[in-house]
mmCIF file with all atom_site columns, all heavy atoms in Angstrom:
data_model
loop_
_atom_site.group_PDB
_atom_site.id
_atom_site.type_symbol
_atom_site.label_atom_id
_atom_site.label_alt_id
_atom_site.label_comp_id
_atom_site.label_asym_id
_atom_site.label_entity_id
_atom_site.label_seq_id
_atom_site.pdbx_PDB_ins_code
_atom_site.Cartn_x
_atom_site.Cartn_y
_atom_site.Cartn_z
_atom_site.occupancy
_atom_site.B_iso_or_equiv
_atom_site.pdbx_formal_charge
_atom_site.auth_seq_id
_atom_site.auth_comp_id
_atom_site.auth_asym_id
_atom_site.auth_atom_id
_atom_site.pdbx_PDB_model_num
ATOM 1  N N   . SER A 1 220 ? -9.356  7.634  6.067  1.00 98.00 ? 220 SER A N   1
ATOM 2  C CA  . SER A 1 220 ? -9.645  6.227  5.800  1.00 98.00 ? 220 SER A CA  1
ATOM 3  C C   . SER A 1 220 ? -10.486 6.138  4.500  1.00 98.00 ? 220 SER A C   1
ATOM 4  O O   . SER A 1 220 ? -10.824 5.012  4.089  1.00 98.00 ? 220 SER A O   1
ATOM 5  C CB  . SER A 1 220 ? -10.477 5.659  7.003  1.00 98.00 ? 220 SER A CB  1
ATOM 6  O OG  . SER A 1 220 ? -11.747 6.353  7.026  1.00 98.00 ? 220 SER A OG  1
ATOM 7  N N   . GLN A 1 221 ? -10.702 7.307  3.851  1.00 98.00 ? 221 GLN A N   1
ATOM 8  C CA  . GLN A 1 221 ? -11.432 7.190  2.576  1.00 98.00 ? 221 GLN A CA  1
ATOM 9  C C   . GLN A 1 221 ? -10.538 6.714  1.429  1.00 98.00 ? 221 GLN A C   1
ATOM 10 O O   . GLN A 1 221 ? -9.288  6.989  1.447  1.00 98.00 ? 221 GLN A O   1
ATOM 11 C CB  . GLN A 1 221 ? -11.952 8.612  2.228  1.00 98.00 ? 221 GLN A CB  1
ATOM 12 C CG  . GLN A 1 221 ? -12.849 9.286  3.224  1.00 98.00 ? 221 GLN A CG  1
ATOM 13 C CD  . GLN A 1 221 ? -14.141 8.441  3.452  1.00 98.00 ? 221 GLN A CD  1
ATOM 14 O OE1 . GLN A 1 221 ? -14.830 8.067  2.478  1.00 98.00 ? 221 GLN A OE1 1
ATOM 15 N NE2 . GLN A 1 221 ? -14.416 8.083  4.708  1.00 98.00 ? 221 GLN A NE2 1
ATOM 16 N N   . ASP A 1 222 ? -11.068 5.967  0.526  1.00 97.00 ? 222 ASP A N   1
ATOM 17 C CA  . ASP A 1 222 ? -10.306 5.299  -0.465 1.00 97.00 ? 222 ASP A CA  1
ATOM 18 C C   . ASP A 1 222 ? -9.340  6.182  -1.238 1.00 97.00 ? 222 ASP A C   1
ATOM 19 O O   . ASP A 1 222 ? -8.198  5.808  -1.505 1.00 97.00 ? 222 ASP A O   1
ATOM 20 C CB  . ASP A 1 222 ? -11.256 4.676  -1.509 1.00 97.00 ? 222 ASP A CB  1
ATOM 21 C CG  . ASP A 1 222 ? -11.873 3.369  -1.022 1.00 97.00 ? 222 ASP A CG  1
ATOM 22 O OD1 . ASP A 1 222 ? -11.409 2.950  0.008  1.00 97.00 ? 222 ASP A OD1 1
ATOM 23 O OD2 . ASP A 1 222 ? -12.789 2.853  -1.670 1.00 97.00 ? 222 ASP A OD2 1
ATOM 24 N N   . ASP A 1 223 ? -9.782  7.373  -1.613 1.00 98.00 ? 223 ASP A N   1
ATOM 25 C CA  . ASP A 1 223 ? -9.033  8.267  -2.500 1.00 98.00 ? 223 ASP A CA  1
ATOM 26 C C   . ASP A 1 223 ? -8.392  9.423  -1.724 1.00 98.00 ? 223 ASP A C   1
ATOM 27 O O   . ASP A 1 223 ? -7.828  10.320 -2.327 1.00 98.00 ? 223 ASP A O   1
ATOM 28 C CB  . ASP A 1 223 ? -9.832  8.746  -3.619 1.00 98.00 ? 223 ASP A CB  1
ATOM 29 C CG  . ASP A 1 223 ? -10.189 7.678  -4.624 1.00 98.00 ? 223 ASP A CG  1
ATOM 30 O OD1 . ASP A 1 223 ? -9.237  7.189  -5.295 1.00 98.00 ? 223 ASP A OD1 1
ATOM 31 O OD2 . ASP A 1 223 ? -11.339 7.202  -4.695 1.00 98.00 ? 223 ASP A OD2 1
ATOM 32 N N   . ILE A 1 224 ? -8.374  9.356  -0.399 1.00 98.00 ? 224 ILE A N   1
ATOM 33 C CA  . ILE A 1 224 ? -7.679  10.398 0.398  1.00 98.00 ? 224 ILE A CA  1
ATOM 34 C C   . ILE A 1 224 ? -6.399  9.816  0.887  1.00 98.00 ? 224 ILE A C   1
ATOM 35 O O   . ILE A 1 224 ? -6.333  8.878  1.606  1.00 98.00 ? 224 ILE A O   1
ATOM 36 C CB  . ILE A 1 224 ? -8.551  10.916 1.558  1.00 98.00 ? 224 ILE A CB  1
ATOM 37 C CG1 . ILE A 1 224 ? -9.833  11.549 1.009  1.00 98.00 ? 224 ILE A CG1 1
ATOM 38 C CG2 . ILE A 1 224 ? -7.835  11.939 2.392  1.00 98.00 ? 224 ILE A CG2 1
ATOM 39 C CD1 . ILE A 1 224 ? -10.780 12.130 1.989  1.00 98.00 ? 224 ILE A CD1 1
ATOM 40 N N   . ASP A 1 225 ? -5.288  10.398 0.342  1.00 98.00 ? 225 ASP A N   1
ATOM 41 C CA  . ASP A 1 225 ? -3.999  9.775  0.586  1.00 98.00 ? 225 ASP A CA  1
ATOM 42 C C   . ASP A 1 225 ? -3.078  10.627 1.462  1.00 98.00 ? 225 ASP A C   1
ATOM 43 O O   . ASP A 1 225 ? -1.891  10.474 1.488  1.00 98.00 ? 225 ASP A O   1
ATOM 44 C CB  . ASP A 1 225 ? -3.248  9.661  -0.792 1.00 98.00 ? 225 ASP A CB  1
ATOM 45 C CG  . ASP A 1 225 ? -4.095  8.976  -1.857 1.00 98.00 ? 225 ASP A CG  1
ATOM 46 O OD1 . ASP A 1 225 ? -4.621  7.910  -1.506 1.00 98.00 ? 225 ASP A OD1 1
ATOM 47 O OD2 . ASP A 1 225 ? -4.224  9.551  -2.982 1.00 98.00 ? 225 ASP A OD2 1
ATOM 48 N N   . GLY A 1 226 ? -3.772  11.455 2.305  1.00 98.00 ? 226 GLY A N   1
ATOM 49 C CA  . GLY A 1 226 ? -2.966  12.280 3.222  1.00 98.00 ? 226 GLY A CA  1
ATOM 50 C C   . GLY A 1 226 ? -3.699  13.622 3.512  1.00 98.00 ? 226 GLY A C   1
ATOM 51 O O   . GLY A 1 226 ? -4.809  13.804 3.088  1.00 98.00 ? 226 GLY A O   1
ATOM 52 N N   . GLY A 1 227 ? -2.998  14.462 4.254  1.00 98.00 ? 227 GLY A N   1
ATOM 53 C CA  . GLY A 1 227 ? -3.565  15.719 4.620  1.00 98.00 ? 227 GLY A CA  1
ATOM 54 C C   . GLY A 1 227 ? -2.651  16.872 4.398  1.00 98.00 ? 227 GLY A C   1
ATOM 55 O O   . GLY A 1 227 ? -1.402  16.780 4.518  1.00 98.00 ? 227 GLY A O   1
ATOM 56 N N   . LEU A 1 228 ? -3.206  18.070 4.100  1.00 98.00 ? 228 LEU A N   1
ATOM 57 C CA  . LEU A 1 228 ? -2.456  19.321 4.095  1.00 98.00 ? 228 LEU A CA  1
ATOM 58 C C   . LEU A 1 228 ? -3.119  20.122 5.205  1.00 98.00 ? 228 LEU A C   1
ATOM 59 O O   . LEU A 1 228 ? -4.248  20.519 5.129  1.00 98.00 ? 228 LEU A O   1
ATOM 60 C CB  . LEU A 1 228 ? -2.635  20.006 2.753  1.00 98.00 ? 228 LEU A CB  1
ATOM 61 C CG  . LEU A 1 228 ? -1.805  21.314 2.563  1.00 98.00 ? 228 LEU A CG  1
ATOM 62 C CD1 . LEU A 1 228 ? -0.338  21.107 2.929  1.00 98.00 ? 228 LEU A CD1 1
ATOM 63 C CD2 . LEU A 1 228 ? -2.024  21.789 1.086  1.00 98.00 ? 228 LEU A CD2 1
ATOM 64 N N   . VAL A 1 229 ? -2.319  20.338 6.217  1.00 98.00 ? 229 VAL A N   1
ATOM 65 C CA  . VAL A 1 229 ? -2.812  20.783 7.541  1.00 98.00 ? 229 VAL A CA  1
ATOM 66 C C   . VAL A 1 229 ? -2.346  22.224 7.806  1.00 98.00 ? 229 VAL A C   1
ATOM 67 O O   . VAL A 1 229 ? -1.047  22.433 7.818  1.00 98.00 ? 229 VAL A O   1
ATOM 68 C CB  . VAL A 1 229 ? -2.394  19.869 8.639  1.00 98.00 ? 229 VAL A CB  1
ATOM 69 C CG1 . VAL A 1 229 ? -2.974  20.214 9.955  1.00 98.00 ? 229 VAL A CG1 1
ATOM 70 C CG2 . VAL A 1 229 ? -2.636  18.356 8.302  1.00 98.00 ? 229 VAL A CG2 1
ATOM 71 N N   . GLY A 1 230 ? -3.224  23.147 8.034  1.00 98.00 ? 230 GLY A N   1
ATOM 72 C CA  . GLY A 1 230 ? -2.881  24.499 8.343  1.00 98.00 ? 230 GLY A CA  1
ATOM 73 C C   . GLY A 1 230 ? -2.706  24.707 9.858  1.00 98.00 ? 230 GLY A C   1
ATOM 74 O O   . GLY A 1 230 ? -1.770  24.259 10.522 1.00 98.00 ? 230 GLY A O   1
ATOM 75 N N   . GLY A 1 231 ? -3.697  25.241 10.506 1.00 97.00 ? 231 GLY A N   1
ATOM 76 C CA  . GLY A 1 231 ? -3.673  25.654 11.871 1.00 97.00 ? 231 GLY A CA  1
ATOM 77 C C   . GLY A 1 231 ? -3.168  24.481 12.786 1.00 97.00 ? 231 GLY A C   1
ATOM 78 O O   . GLY A 1 231 ? -2.336  24.751 13.672 1.00 97.00 ? 231 GLY A O   1
#
Side-chain angles (χ1 to χ4, degrees):
S220 64
Q221 302 299 310
D222 282 351
D223 289 294
I224 299 186
D225 308 311
L228 183 54
V229 185

